[in-house]
């Protein structure tokens, strides 16, 4: 009995050791995926043991396997937990005071979106509500499609072309509302317009009656995996509001990037 408990404790120790190594070794400059054999060699574990530990961690979302390369990296469940206990310099904590400034200026609800390239979906990880009794509330920390609504399109527009095509093929652009763009060519045209003007605009594409304006947030690795979104109920919206609101959203997204030590690329 003692030996069995000891093995269980040892299995937990191996899992924590492996997870800690992946977190510490992750580096955008050198890559953040590893194969079973490489991990085993670095941690002095057999391939069978390493595979068993990775399978257990992947079951709980703490690591995830790239289906193309067969290699492993940190999973989104780990990121979700990390957001709960993140340091002062995490994207969420950096963004919330700036989102509060945006809401103070516009008195409309702001959201912070975040995209996962393996799931090819996004979630909203923070919200700052307006003072209006009529406002839209979106689920926080729940997966949603990236191809619909300003909050998704402001990210998708800046993904690599191959990744955009994979999203289109995988999802079939299933409509969320009657206004969702479901034609691949029309979607690519809209994404090109977003890249040109620096922000996304949508009206009822994800939620009927909701208007969205969103600006991308670049990370130090040169990718867009987050965005800043302003949501306005249609009864309170007029198209003449778009230029001023878009400038405000872009300005505050750039403030977030500055806090992250990033400067947005110049649009061509």
């Amino acid at each position: 009995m003692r030996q069995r408990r000891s093995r269980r404790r040892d299995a937990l120790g191996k899992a924590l050791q492996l997870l800690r190594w992946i977190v510490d070794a992750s580096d955008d400059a050198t890559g953040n995926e590893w194969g079973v054999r490489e991990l085993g060699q670095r941690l002095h574990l057999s391939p069978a043991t390493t595979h068993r530990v990775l399978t257990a961690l992947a079951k709980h979302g703490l690591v995830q396997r790239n289906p193309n390369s067969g290699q492993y990296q940190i999973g989104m469940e780990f990121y979700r937990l990390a957001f709960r206990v993140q340091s002062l310099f995490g994207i969420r904590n950096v963004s919330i005071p700036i989102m509060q400034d945006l809401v103070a200026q516009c008195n409309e609800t702001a959201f912070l979106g975040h995209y996962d390239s393996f799931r090819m979906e996004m979630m909203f990880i923070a919200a700052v509500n307006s003072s209006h009794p009529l406002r839209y509330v979106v689920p926080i920390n729940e997966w949603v499609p990236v191809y619909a609504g300003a909050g998704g399109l402001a990210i998708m527009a800046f993904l690599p072309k191959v990744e955009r095509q994979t999203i289109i093929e995988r999802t079939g652009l299933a409509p969320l509302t009657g206004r969702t763009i479901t034609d691949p060519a029309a979607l690519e045209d809209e994404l090109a317009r977003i890249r040109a003007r620096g922000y996304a605009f949508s009206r009822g594409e994800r939620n009927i009656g909701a208007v969205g304006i969103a600006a991308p947030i670049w990370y130090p690795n040169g990718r867009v995996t987050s965005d800043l979104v302003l949501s306005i109920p249609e009864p309170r919206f007029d198209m003449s509001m778009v230029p001023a609101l878009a400038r405000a959203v872009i300005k505050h997204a750039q403030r977030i990037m500055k806090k992250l030590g990033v400067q947005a690329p110049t649009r061509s």
Side-chain angles (χ1 to χ4, degrees):
M1 181 65 72
R2 287 181 183 175
Q3 188 175 8
R4 190 177 303 169
R5 287 175 180 169
S6 177
R7 283 200 298 267
R8 281 202 294 266
R9 285 196 297 269
D10 190 45
L12 177 59
K14 287 183 173 66
L16 293 174
Q17 180 188 15
L18 192 152
L19 188 60
R20 185 183 299 113
W21 189 92
I22 293 177
V23 172
D24 289 340
S26 292
D27 185 341
D28 288 321
T30 59
N32 56 5
E33 294 184 4
W34 295 272
V36 172
R37 289 190 178 277
E38 180 184 4
L39 288 169
Q41 289 172 356
R42 290 181 180 273
L43 296 171
H44 306 291
L45 300 173
S46 70
T49 298
T50 305
H51 184 266
R52 184 166 61 251
V53 172
L54 287 168
T55 300
L57 291 171
K59 180 180 178 181
H60 295 283
L62 297 174
V63 300
Q64 57 192 12
R65 181 177 180 273
N66 185 333
N68 297 318
S69 66
Q71 295 185 317
Y72 289 84
Q73 73 164 34
I74 291 298
M76 282 306 295
E77 176 62 12
F78 185 93
Y79 285 120
R80 187 187 72 80
L81 293 172
F83 275 125
R84 298 277 185 175
V85 292
Q86 64 187 305
S87 70
L88 180 61
F89 300 103
I91 178 66
R92 186 176 180 276
N93 285 344
V94 164
S95 300
I96 284 178
I98 297 172
M99 293 166 66
Q100 290 169 337
D101 290 345
L102 176 61
V103 173
Q105 177 180 335
C106 303
N107 200 18
E108 299 295 350
T109 299
F111 299 99
L112 181 66
H114 190 73
Y115 169 77
D116 173 45
S117 60
F118 282 95
R119 290 184 64 103
M120 294 188 175
E121 293 179 306
M122 65 170 296
M123 62 171 64
F124 296 102
I125 59 174
V128 176
N129 291 318
S130 75
S131 64
H132 293 292
L134 175 61
R135 58 178 182 260
Y136 277 91
V137 178
V138 301
I140 300 298
N141 295 328
E142 292 186 13
W143 294 111
V144 295
V146 72
Y147 60 82
L153 298 180
I155 294 173
M156 187 174 179
F158 297 92
L159 297 178
K161 184 176 181 179
V162 172
E163 193 165 345
R164 299 198 307 268
Q165 291 174 338
T166 302
I167 291 169
I168 291 171
E169 292 169 3
R170 182 179 292 184
T171 63
L173 300 182
L176 305 185
T177 74
R179 293 182 178 178
T180 304
I181 301 174
T182 57
D183 177 70
L187 179 59
E188 281 293 348
D189 287 344
E190 179 60 21
L191 297 177
R193 285 190 286 271
I194 293 168
R195 288 191 293 273
R197 69 190 178 213
Y199 70 91
F201 169 81
S202 66
R203 195 166 187 169
E205 293 176 18
R206 188 188 296 279
N207 296 299
I208 291 295
V211 174
I213 298 174
I217 296 172
W218 272 263
Y219 277 63
N221 63 3
R223 280 182 61 97
V224 172
T225 49
S226 293
D227 63 355
L228 178 61
V229 190
L230 198 67
S231 179
I232 310 104
E234 276 196 298
R236 206 161 51 238
F237 174 77
D238 184 271
M239 283 299 296
S240 64
M241 301 164 61
V242 172
L245 292 177
R247 284 193 298 270
V249 175
I250 292 171
K251 174 186 174 182
H252 287 77
Q254 290 175 343
R255 287 181 60 198
I256 294 172
M257 286 186 277
K258 186 176 180 180
K259 288 285 188 180
L260 297 174
V262 178
Q263 184 173 358
T266 303
R267 298 198 301 275
S268 57

